[in-house]
Amino acid sequence: MRVVVDLTKCEGYAQCAFLAPEAFRMVGDEALMFDPSPPDELREKVLRAAAACPVQALQVDMADLPPQPQAETTAVHGDDRLRHDGRVVIVGASLAGLKAAEQLRAEGFAGSLTMIGDEPEEPYDRPPLSKQVQTGWVHSADTTLPRRREIDAEWKLGVAATGLDLDRNVVTLADGQEVGFDRLLISTGVRARPWPIPEEAALDGVFTIRTRADASGLRERLMNKPSRVLVIGSGFTGSEMASVCVELGIPVTVAEAGPAPLSGALGGVIGRIAGGIMREHGVDLRTNTMVTSLQGEDGRLRRALLSDGTTIDVDVAVVALGGIRNVEWLENSNLAVGVWGVACDAGCRAFDANGLVTDDVFVAGDVARQPQPMFGYQFLAMEHWGNAVSQAEVAAHNMISSESDRWPHLEVSAFWSLQFGNNIKSVGVPTFADQVAITQGSVHTRQFVAAYGYKGRMVGAVSWNQGKWLDFYEDLIEQAAPFPPPYEMTNPPEDRTPVPAEFPERTYPGREATVVVTGHDPSERRATLVRNARRR
Amino acid sequence: MTEPSLYDEILDYANRANPWPLYEKLRSQPVWQEADGTFVVSTYREVLALQHDPRLSSDPSNLLPEFAAMRPPAEAGGGATGFIRTDPPRHDVLRRIAMRQFGPPHRPDYVDSFVPAMQGIVGKLVDKLADKQEADVVDDVAYPLPVAVICRMLGVPPEDEPTFSAWVEPIVNSLGNPTPEQLKERGDAVQAMANYMFELAQRRRAEPGDDMISGYVQDDGPDGRLEGADLFGTLVLLLIAGHETTVNLITNGWLTLQRHPDVLQRLRTEPDFSIRLVEELLRYEPPVHILPFRTATDDIELGGATIRKGHPISVMLASGNHDSTCIPHADRFDPDRRDNVHLSFASGVHYCFGAPLARLEAQLALTELARRLDNPRLLADPPPYRPSPVLRGPVHLPIAYDGVSPA
Ligand SMILES: Cc1cc2nc3c(=O)[nH]c(=O)nc-3n(C[C@H](O)[C@H](O)[C@H](O)COP(=O)(O)OP(=O)(O)OC[C@H]3O[C@@H](n4cnc5c(N)ncnc54)[C@H](O)[C@@H]3O)c2cc1C
């Protein structure tokens, strides 16, 4: 059977780990790892676990769900024709795409649905690829996402979309097919940013980690006990890989250009705590250090040169330098796309190149870049699992609803990561902050919560093995509560004085001109995106 | 004389059998202050939010001096209370040490490994009903099952179980509005239990087994060991909490099934049905109705009111479960409900330690009763209730039946 746990919701109550210990494991106090395809003999236990989850984060296939309640016969809003026999096309058949499809059907969409994905597989879950898949518990082929309901779609898998024609509302595919739509959802996500020097990136032993194929290739190599692994970049994925190496007993070096691991996402202050943990676990962590070249022999990776002047012998390098948004196929579509993704409004409607909102093209997931009302209306892309799900739901709803019935996507973003036995969870947008303060617990015992503030108001929080408190901080963020929090709380820290959060200076993508504006009268002014405007 | 408040009415034994309409009225104001200074929180969202609020304290020493009289009675001789009346970080440490012998991550399959034993105990209890036509679901099944299970898990020898039950009785009786005699009996029982536990712990230290007590006295985790009052406080807590609530879960469950014959029929025939059924029973007829004795370490703005620092708080779990503004058709008993996010085991760091056990016991007991009792019927509806408004359930649940099928 298939299982997925929404770890954004999970608060670590361990009910699943008690009731089906073969399929669910706690790591440390509150981090959960699970087998996404437990054997059928465990079905009863897994159903027990699913029913018992206090936050209902554990999802199983529809066949194992209670019967669907009779659809409520509420008045249908919006375009009736569209709901009954409209054509919806979803490009990008992964997490966001699948969730959108399920939501469309849940809301009574009865028209045709086409799912287009360039990967040959059905939608699968990526977070396990850098965790339980690498430690060998779970096979990368077994991470297919469960289906929560019948979506009755036509699947076009293994074929990429190559273009979008908004005059005719047609998506073109790599095999020459054209697929017409009334509503389009773009959920093409990101791909791994490769090592920038192609010959070096091509060396045997150099990996990125985004897809199943990446993950199983890397896992195979780790099983052969390499003498040392080099992890390039210590964001969440890089840090998780370092943790896996430690667990497998493989020596590992982490090269990080910034001052501390995770400092891009959580700032230098919290990042140094992560760095301390890494070093305690024997990771050779080099901060403020870049990898300058990867060198091979006979096409195989042998060593790496670092900017600190040292050379290390390595057989495997994991390039964890973030992602590149999959927008090339939209270049001639006249949508507002760029290296920063596809811009859309808070209702997931894509902007065209003029910055005008479209009404039939929607965006969700890692590829979407959306204004965040809670954070000064900044356009942000949130490359998080929970964001892909919640945006997909909002996008799907809005696709088939009338103007007056649209939802804004106002979820407080949330993220989790599991490394070195620690469950790290964040809510809000820490990167927006100027200050950080420990508010509960003890950094020393690795059980604490830190709040992030921007100009005296709460904008984010991160918990370290204290995830059960995060709901509280989420509420504070929604209420624009004061920072630092002025309350007497249980489990006060030794020192709760705010300090500068130490985020790297923000770089704004698209700072260079990418648009040419033409026309004089307001009625004739038009923006056109220009390709390759970013000159080297 | 002033009118009794809604909260007083809820506490009034006369309303024990059907508190639901009172809860509904209570929810018209999510946070309510009683004349005696207590705050009563009754709506789903507020109950949930409060339990994740780091200003909510379970430690009675945070009550203002003027509320000292409302402090809960100490649980064991040395004043130890186990972890339920402590706050983090001490709570987390004590609970983690206790968890080390009970479940994940250190002992992930301990509870699961008891499933066959639990099944055996349930089977035998139902076998015993075969030579009569009437039974009391409380005395004959709902009570003996959890006692037997928790004793086995802790490592209490079976021959001592009856002694145990005798100690538990006065403790149960003192819940609610105890008389001074009841309080004294309770104190004596707790003391006797602590003494017994002390000796048992000595024995297990010398001759350890697989059980939890052996673990507590033998095995040191990163947080160290439970010693002295902490050890006895935890053991007494696990023992009492280990079955007090499960009795109500099974009894309330059976009562609800008898009131919904179609559901009872499904339980006889659908193999996995007990799993979701028990979750809905937990929501619909929860064993614990109120979390009393909470307090606030600072003022808390909640549900349009301000809960004052140091005042007593009663968290109305059962009322939250029936809040139809958050839970669709909350007053409908619907075992097919999806996304059942009830509050019955509380939420946050104090989430019920024994929840997995309670779930399994109720699933196994209710299924076995449903499968084997031939034409069961209630002899009293409503049945007589136990005095406590906090742990609410029938004191007896007399039923009649035509026969008992073989296992
Ligand atoms: C190794 C790893 C670990 C992670 N761990 C965590 C974690 O711990 N916590 C967390 O919150 N998040 C985590 N994430 C992030 C999370 O997985 C993503 O946020 C999520 O997958 C985004 O979903 P999506 O559907 O938007 O995009 P994707 O999952 O990237 O899916 C996009 C799909 O579109 C396809 N596609 C692209 N271009 C085209 C085209 N032109 N035509 C057709 N199809 C196309 C892609 O091949 C892909 O299948 C992790 C991600 C990875 C890779």
Side-chain angles (χ1 to χ4, degrees):
Chain A
M1 66 190 298
R2 293 166 182 171
V3 168
V4 69
V5 182
D6 179 346
L7 289 164
T8 305
K9 275 194 194 166
C10 173
E11 293 182 15
Y13 295 101
Q15 297 305 294
C16 54
F18 270 107
L19 295 169
E22 300 90 344
F24 304 92
R25 292 183 195 163
M26 300 307 290
V27 183
D29 266 357
E30 61 169 45
L32 176 69
M33 293 248 259
F34 61 95
D35 179 350
S37 63
D40 284 338
E41 305 92 86
L42 290 181
R43 184 174 171 277
E44 190 183 345
K45 285 189 182 184
V46 171
L47 292 185
R48 277 204 170 114
C53 177
V55 290
Q56 293 290 289
L58 208 169
Q59 305 177 353
V60 294
D61 266 316
M62 61 192 155
D64 297 308
L65 283 170
Q68 201 61 36
Q70 203 64 34
E72 304 275 318
T73 42
T74 46
V76 170
H77 296 283
D79 190 338
D80 261 359
R81 189 203 61 79
L82 183 72
R83 279 176 173 267
H84 286 120
D85 46 33
R87 296 165 304 161
V88 171
V89 171
I90 295 178
V91 181
S94 182
L95 179 63
L98 178 64
K99 289 293 155 185
E102 289 178 351
Q103 181 77 14
L104 282 166
R105 294 301 190 203
E107 292 204 20
F109 172 66
S112 81
L113 183 57
T114 308
M115 304 282 292
I116 298 165
D118 61 359
E119 294 188 81
E121 296 102 336
E122 287 180 48
Y124 60 88
D125 201 29
R126 293 177 205 274
L129 300 181
S130 57
K131 305 176 183 77
Q132 53 269 53
V133 167
Q134 296 307 323
T135 55
W137 180 25
V138 167
H139 200 274
S140 74
D142 290 337
T143 58
T144 304
L145 286 163
R147 296 286 170 77
R148 300 285 283 167
R149 64 178 62 244
E150 190 58 69
I151 59 172
D152 187 21
E154 184 186 345
W155 292 82
K156 294 183 187 293
L157 294 178
V159 53
T162 49
L164 168 63
D165 179 346
L166 283 179
D167 293 334
R168 296 189 295 134
N169 271 9
V170 154
V171 175
T172 49
L173 307 187
D175 61 7
Q177 288 182 74
E178 291 196 334
V179 187
F181 61 85
D182 300 305
R183 294 282 186 272
L184 171 69
L185 179 70
I186 297 168
S187 53
T188 43
V190 307
R191 61 183 180 276
R193 182 178 298 284
W195 181 245
I197 305 158
E199 312 78 66
E200 297 181 9
L203 287 171
D204 183 21
V206 178
F207 290 89
T208 54
I209 173 164
R210 181 83 201 171
T211 64
R212 268 184 180 168
D214 294 342
S216 60
L218 178 56
R219 165 65 193 160
E220 225 167 88
R221 206 49 74 84
L222 294 183
M223 273 193 324
N224 297 340
K225 292 277 163 194
S227 61
R228 178 167 290 275
V229 170
L230 170 66
V231 175
I232 309 176
S234 62
F236 285 107
T237 310
S239 298
E240 286 176 8
M241 281 312 305
S243 166
V244 163
C245 290
V246 166
E247 201 179 325
L248 297 175
I250 302 169
V252 54
T253 297
V254 173
E256 165 58 50
L262 310 183
S263 55
L266 298 176
V269 176
I270 303 300
R272 275 193 295 279
I273 298 168
I277 293 175
M278 263 193 198
R279 291 199 166 106
E280 274 164 35
H281 282 86
V283 174
D284 170 28
L285 169 65
R286 318 268 186 107
T287 50
N288 299 309
T289 304
M290 315 249 274
V291 175
T292 52
S293 83
L294 297 175
Q295 299 187 344
E297 281 162 22
D298 307 325
R300 300 197 60 151
L301 176 68
R302 287 287 177 238
R303 70 191 74 78
L305 309 190
L306 308 186
S307 63
D308 61 10
T310 58
T311 302
I312 51 171
D313 291 335
V314 291
D315 346 338
V316 174
V318 181
V319 179
L321 295 171
I324 297 177
R325 295 178 168 84
N326 290 317
V327 293
E328 291 77 0
W329 67 284
L330 296 168
E331 257 173 6
N332 296 319
S333 65
N334 205 34
L335 288 178
V337 300
V339 288
W340 26 263
V342 183
C344 62
D345 77 348
C348 301
R349 291 182 292 182
F351 288 126
D352 72 11
N354 299 302
L356 289 176
V357 80
T358 59
D359 218 20
D360 39 15
V361 182
F362 291 74
V363 198
D366 285 6
V367 76
R369 184 166 173 266
Q370 201 171 43
Q372 306 285 324
M374 279 176 275
F375 304 96
Y377 292 94
Q378 264 196 90
F379 276 76
L380 296 174
M382 296 286 170
E383 293 177 36
H384 304 162
W385 198 97
N387 182 68
V389 173
S390 62
Q391 261 180 350
E393 285 167 358
V394 170
H397 169 86
N398 289 348
M399 284 169 102
I400 53 169
S401 299
S402 64
E403 185 76 33
S404 59
D405 192 31
R406 294 234 163 91
W407 296 343
H409 180 246
L410 291 174
E411 284 281 310
V412 173
S413 163
F415 183 87
W416 83 91
S417 174
L418 169 52
Q419 43 189 276
F420 304 100
N422 294 292
N423 188 33
I424 306 170
K425 288 188 80 170
S426 89
V427 291
V429 184
T431 52
F432 199 68
D434 48 23
Q435 287 191 310
V436 64
I438 308 293
T439 51
Q440 281 175 265
S442 146
V443 170
H444 174 71
T445 61
R446 314 290 192 224
Q447 284 156 349
F448 65 91
V449 184
Y452 290 84
Y454 177 65
K455 294 195 193 303
R457 133 173 126 72
M458 187 85 88
V459 294
V462 62
S463 69
W464 221 278
N465 304 314
Q466 291 278 291
K468 292 185 180 71
W469 298 112
L470 275 194
D471 277 4
F472 171 70
Y473 292 85
E474 192 177 320
D475 284 351
L476 294 183
I477 295 164
E478 288 181 351
Q479 292 155 24
F483 174 90
Y487 325 109
E488 289 302 316
M489 305 193 206
T490 54
N491 202 7
E494 259 168 44
D495 182 3
R496 52 179 178 183
T497 323
V499 295
E502 299 180 27
F503 281 101
E505 204 204 322
R506 252 175 264 170
T507 51
Y508 292 96
R511 198 174 259 172
E512 298 158 60
T514 53
V515 155
V516 174
V517 179
T518 53
H520 298 284
D521 288 345
S523 65
E524 41 180 53
R525 297 276 283 169
R526 290 285 180 276
T528 313
L529 277 162
V530 287
R531 295 166 78 174
N532 305 326
R534 290 162 61 92
R535 300 197 177 85
R536 300 267 151 89
Chain B
M1 228 188 77
T2 50
E3 288 266 295
S5 71
L6 262 176
Y7 188 58
D8 286 334
E9 283 188 63
I10 288 166
L11 301 186
D12 184 347
Y13 183 74
N15 293 312
R16 198 68 74 245
N18 186 14
W20 305 107
L22 294 170
Y23 289 149
E24 189 179 342
K25 280 195 210 158
L26 196 63
R27 285 193 299 270
S28 65
Q29 200 175 320
V31 178
W32 183 286
Q33 187 171 14
E34 287 293 295
D36 70 1
T38 303
F39 285 88
V40 181
V41 181
S42 60
T43 39
Y44 182 86
R45 284 212 174 85
E46 280 68 24
V47 166
L48 192 63
L50 193 59
Q51 294 179 80
H52 289 90
D53 195 316
R55 294 166 295 184
L56 183 77
S57 169
S58 296
D59 179 350
S61 70
N62 282 320
L63 283 166
L64 290 173
E66 65 231 59
F67 300 114
M70 293 191 196
R71 282 192 192 157
E75 210 57 273
T81 55
F83 41 81
I84 51 169
R85 284 180 199 142
T86 57
D87 292 331
R90 192 172 149 66
H91 164 272
D92 297 358
V93 170
L94 290 177
R95 184 170 164 133
R96 214 162 32 231
I97 301 177
M99 182 68 97
R100 219 177 132 75
Q101 304 308 326
F102 181 65
H106 185 65
R107 215 172 180 187
D109 45 12
Y110 191 57
V111 168
D112 184 51
S113 71
F114 273 86
V115 169
M118 287 188 226
Q119 217 133 23
I121 297 168
V122 173
K124 286 212 184 82
L125 291 171
V126 177
D127 288 344
K128 281 199 216 154
L129 305 183
D131 40 4
K132 37 187 191 175
Q133 273 82 48
E134 287 184 10
D136 176 3
V137 173
V138 177
D139 286 350
D140 293 333
V141 181
Y143 191 79
L145 168 66
V147 175
V149 173
I150 193 71
C151 282
R152 283 203 198 178
M153 290 194 133
L154 286 175
V156 173
E159 61 272 19
D160 294 348
E161 261 180 44
T163 336
F164 249 90
S165 309
W167 289 327
V168 170
E169 203 95 344
I171 295 174
V172 177
N173 290 341
S174 74
L175 292 163
N177 264 347
T179 62
E181 296 92 85
Q182 281 174 324
L183 268 185
K184 164 139 193 356
E185 282 172 28
R186 171 204 178 88
D188 292 347
V190 170
Q191 190 57 54
M193 212 190 282
N195 291 343
Y196 171 87
M197 285 295 186
F198 178 75
E199 271 178 36
L200 185 57
Q202 294 294 358
R203 260 192 283 162
R204 291 284 175 255
R205 218 183 298 262
E207 278 175 62
D210 274 348
D211 53 86
M212 291 171 70
I213 294 180
S214 297
Y216 289 140
V217 297
Q218 285 280 312
D219 163 57
D220 282 338
D223 293 296
R225 192 180 281 207
L226 291 174
E227 313 257 29
D230 283 338
L231 176 60
F232 303 122
T234 302
L235 290 180
V236 171
L237 169 67
L238 295 185
L239 225 138
I240 296 175
H243 60 271
E244 251 332 277
T245 46
T246 314
V247 182
N248 286 348
L249 176 57
I250 296 173
T251 317
N252 290 338
W254 188 256
L255 176 61
T256 308
L257 286 173
Q258 293 268 240
R259 288 173 177 170
H260 295 84
D262 50 326
V263 179
L264 181 54
Q265 186 52 38
R266 276 179 72 183
L267 183 57
R268 291 201 172 99
T269 49
E270 271 180 50
D272 300 331
F273 186 57
S274 71
I275 297 172
R276 278 175 280 119
L277 170 68
V278 164
E279 285 320 302
E280 177 66 350
L281 286 171
L282 277 161
R283 184 194 71 82
Y284 185 75
E285 282 280 7
V288 180
H289 272 226
I290 309 174
L291 293 180
F293 309 132
R294 297 299 191 271
T295 186
T297 57
D298 205 340
D299 288 356
I300 301 176
E301 306 270 333
L302 188 73
T306 303
I307 296 176
R308 295 272 166 228
K309 176 175 176 168
H311 282 242
I313 304 171
S314 285
V315 185
M316 309 298 283
L317 299 177
S319 169
N321 278 349
H322 281 240
D323 183 346
S324 55
T325 57
C326 295
I327 295 157
H329 318 293
D331 282 328
R332 189 192 295 165
F333 177 60
D334 174 12
D336 290 325
R337 191 178 287 278
R338 281 188 175 194
D339 294 327
N340 187 347
V341 281
H342 60 74
L343 304 164
S344 304
F345 289 122
S347 192
V349 295
H350 287 278
Y351 188 85
C352 175
F353 187 84
L357 205 53
R359 292 185 149 110
L360 285 169
E361 288 172 349
Q363 286 163 7
L364 298 176
L366 294 174
T367 306
E368 186 81 357
L369 285 169
R371 277 188 35 238
R372 295 184 57 195
L373 292 186
D374 180 12
N375 186 25
R377 51 213 181 262
L378 292 176
L379 293 179
D381 191 4
Y385 272 79
R386 298 162 75 176
S388 173
V390 172
L391 306 179
R392 173 184 169 270
V395 64
H396 295 293
L397 187 60
I399 56 168
Y401 43 90
D402 295 342
V404 175
S405 331

